[in-house]
Amino acid sequence: MPIPFRRTSKTRKAKRRTHQNLNAPSYQICSNCGSNVKNHSICKECGFYKGKQVIKIDED
């Protein structure tokens, strides 16, 4: 395998890596209890999803 003649510049390296960033997860507010819930997930506080109770959560 040949060795590159010239070094890869910082700009060229940065252009190649522009899509490699971290995205913050998006949250919604639960329609039942008002807590933060990840999109398309069951609420861990009350067990509701899309206005329907999916799992029963025991409150201690």
Side-chain angles (χ1 to χ4, degrees), residues 12-51:
R12 183 176 289 268
K13 184 167 48 173
K15 284 180 183 178
R16 188 171 62 240
R17 295 178 179 175
T18 56
H19 65 283
Q20 296 178 354
N21 55 357
L22 293 175
N23 297 326
S26 57
Y27 290 96
Q28 291 180 335
I29 297 174
C30 178
S31 60
N32 187 47
C33 65
S35 64
N36 287 336
V37 182
K38 284 182 74 173
N39 292 343
H40 309 289
S41 299
I42 299 170
C43 179
K44 294 181 181 177
E45 301 294 324
C46 62
F48 274 68
Y49 180 71
K50 289 189 176 180

Side-chain angles (χ1 to χ4, degrees), residues 45-46 56-60:
E45 301 294 324
C46 62
K56 185 177 179 183
I57 304 284
D58 294 330
E59 294 182 13
D60 292 335

